[in-house]
Amino acid sequence: MELYSISSPRTHRSGDQPTSALETHLGYWLRLVSNEVSRAFASVLHEQGMSVAEWVAMNQLAAGTALTSAKLASTMGMTRGAISKILDKLDSKKLISRSISSVDSRVQFLSLTERAKRVLPRLTSVADGNDNHYFAALDSDEKASLYKLLRKLAEFHQMTRIPVE
Amino acid sequence: MELYSISSPRTHRSGDQPTSALETHLGYWLRLVSNEVSRAFASVLHEQGMSVAEWVAMNQLAAGTALTSAKLASTMGMTRGAISKILDKLDSKKLISRSISSVDSRVQFLSLTERAKRVLPRLTSVADGNDNHYFAALDSDEKASLYKLLRKLAEFHQMTRIPVE
DNA sequence: TATTGTTATACTCTATAACTATA
DNA sequence: TATAGTTATAGAGTATAACAATA
């Protein structure tokens, strides 16, 4: 197993096929793997008639992290307009309800319906299953190591935008 | 620094804030970091008037991996129609030329123009810079470790679709 | 004046499928 | 009939910006 070459990322080892410069970047492999894992999950969600953005929104509501539209928008890194449409979709599926604040009638409080609370665990186990499937290629130590490295990058660069795509 | 909990991914450690179930997945952190790295790169490319798909196509041509439209389509995991539009854009910027095969006039051979050969190294160093910037948070061993883990996942699951988004 | 949420509009990206011209 | 590449169309997803209601 060759090591990732730090000092000369574009060095070609003798006998290699001509490769594109893309593969010399860690970001390339990160994106390759991430796309596959996310695509598979999005595809399963899609079969359930749900987008990733809707799934994320539901989770934020379940966690009590973002209970208004504006809060959701900032948490999810999207405009209020985009959030509004996502909430429309969840509403039409009877997964959320919106109730006007008695204190400030511009504000809506969002909550999951009973139906959503029944649906969410099933979706969560789908997400668990997807994660388990893809990372089963790694043993416990490797998983812990990957987790640590990713968390370190996220922390170092103050990455806070919840992935929605 | 806590470890990634393998056996009970949804366990909450005492004293924690309520978190969404999302953060218990390795796929979540993978996507979070990947999105940030890719978004930054796409943003720089965009300033240069270029999409990631165009950048990838140019690299495939430079590597000699995919010298026809159909080949590009299969390598990049896109339809021929989508590739056709990407090539139109590169063509309009005088970065590629298409020449009809003398053997089979349905086939076009694609090649980078001289202009493209001047532009590509600059873009490549932008890509290098982006990669260096984000992964500077890791030391050499950590970079090597991350590279190895990602390659292992890619190989195990036979991930071949070149990331284009 | 500022803010919450909605809506009208436009844009980007891509797939589907019909099309042409070859083979 | 099959294949290479193009094009017409449609759909998803999101941003921008104008809007109404309220503070």
Side-chain angles (χ1 to χ4, degrees):
Chain A
M1 168 65 79
E2 77 263 0
L3 288 178
Y4 176 67
S5 167
I6 305 302
S7 49
S8 50
R10 219 172 323 302
T11 299
H12 278 214
R13 296 161 305 278
S14 62
D16 268 8
Q17 298 286 31
T19 54
S20 86
L22 301 176
E23 302 173 23
T24 64
H25 296 122
L26 263 171
Y28 171 86
W29 295 101
L30 190 66
R31 196 61 174 170
L32 178 80
V33 176
S34 169
N35 276 358
E36 206 79 23
V37 176
S38 294
R39 181 186 299 269
F41 181 52
S43 161
V44 186
L45 276 185
H46 189 257
E47 287 166 17
Q48 315 272 328
M50 179 165 292
S51 70
V52 176
E54 290 170 59
W55 151 257
V56 171
M58 283 183 73
N59 271 278
Q60 294 305 313
L61 297 183
T65 317
L67 299 174
T68 69
S69 187
K71 195 78 197 301
L72 259 191
S74 86
T75 311
M76 293 175 63
M78 299 172 71
T79 62
R80 283 171 304 153
I83 291 293
S84 186
K85 284 192 179 179
I86 289 164
L87 293 176
D88 282 347
K89 284 183 189 155
L90 289 173
D91 214 341
S92 74
K93 288 175 217 157
K94 308 268 185 241
L95 291 170
I96 61 158
S97 62
R98 321 191 218 203
S99 65
I100 294 167
S101 162
S102 54
V103 180
D104 180 342
S105 62
R106 291 173 306 182
V107 175
Q108 290 177 356
F109 288 118
L110 304 168
S111 57
L112 295 178
T113 60
E114 289 307 314
R115 179 168 142 72
K117 286 172 190 161
R118 285 196 305 273
V119 168
L120 201 50
R122 201 183 67 231
L123 294 176
T124 300
S125 80
V126 167
D128 291 349
N130 192 64
D131 221 60
N132 289 337
H133 168 69
Y134 278 105
F135 299 104
L138 307 180
D139 64 31
S140 295
D141 284 351
E142 288 172 325
K143 276 188 262 207
S145 170
L146 178 58
Y147 183 76
K148 204 170 132 188
L149 292 166
L150 293 171
R151 288 290 302 254
K152 184 168 188 172
L153 288 167
E155 203 158 312
F156 186 87
H157 293 286
Q158 296 288 313
M159 301 174 182
T160 53
R161 178 184 291 222
I162 297 181
V164 172
E165 311 134 59
Chain B
M1 169 66 75
E2 78 261 359
L3 289 177
Y4 175 68
S5 166
I6 306 301
S7 49
S8 52
R10 217 171 326 301
T11 299
H12 279 215
R13 296 163 305 279
S14 62
D16 269 8
Q17 298 287 31
T19 54
S20 87
L22 301 177
E23 302 173 24
T24 64
H25 296 124
L26 263 172
Y28 171 86
W29 294 101
L30 190 66
R31 197 61 173 169
L32 179 80
V33 176
S34 168
N35 276 358
E36 206 79 23
V37 176
S38 295
R39 181 186 298 269
F41 181 53
S43 161
V44 186
L45 276 185
H46 189 257
E47 287 166 17
Q48 316 272 330
M50 179 166 292
S51 71
V52 176
E54 291 169 59
W55 151 257
V56 171
M58 284 183 74
N59 272 279
Q60 295 305 313
L61 297 184
T65 317
L67 299 175
T68 68
S69 187
K71 194 81 198 303
L72 260 190
S74 87
T75 311
M76 293 174 63
M78 299 172 70
T79 62
R80 284 170 303 153
I83 292 293
S84 185
K85 286 193 176 176
I86 289 165
L87 294 176
D88 282 347
K89 285 183 189 155
L90 290 173
D91 214 340
S92 74
K93 288 174 217 158
K94 309 265 185 245
L95 291 171
I96 61 159
S97 63
R98 319 192 222 204
S99 65
I100 294 167
S101 163
S102 54
V103 179
D104 180 342
S105 63
R106 291 173 306 182
V107 176
Q108 291 176 357
F109 287 119
L110 304 168
S111 57
L112 295 178
T113 61
E114 289 307 314
R115 180 170 143 69
K117 286 171 190 161
R118 285 196 305 274
V119 168
L120 200 52
R122 201 183 68 230
L123 295 176
T124 301
S125 80
V126 167
D128 291 349
N130 192 64
D131 221 59
N132 288 337
H133 168 69
Y134 277 105
F135 298 104
L138 307 180
D139 64 33
S140 295
D141 284 351
E142 288 171 326
K143 275 190 264 207
S145 168
L146 179 57
Y147 183 76
K148 202 170 133 188
L149 291 166
L150 293 171
R151 288 291 301 254
K152 184 169 188 173
L153 288 167
E155 203 159 311
F156 186 88
H157 292 287
Q158 296 289 312
M159 301 175 181
T160 53
R161 177 183 291 222
I162 298 182
V164 173
E165 311 133 60

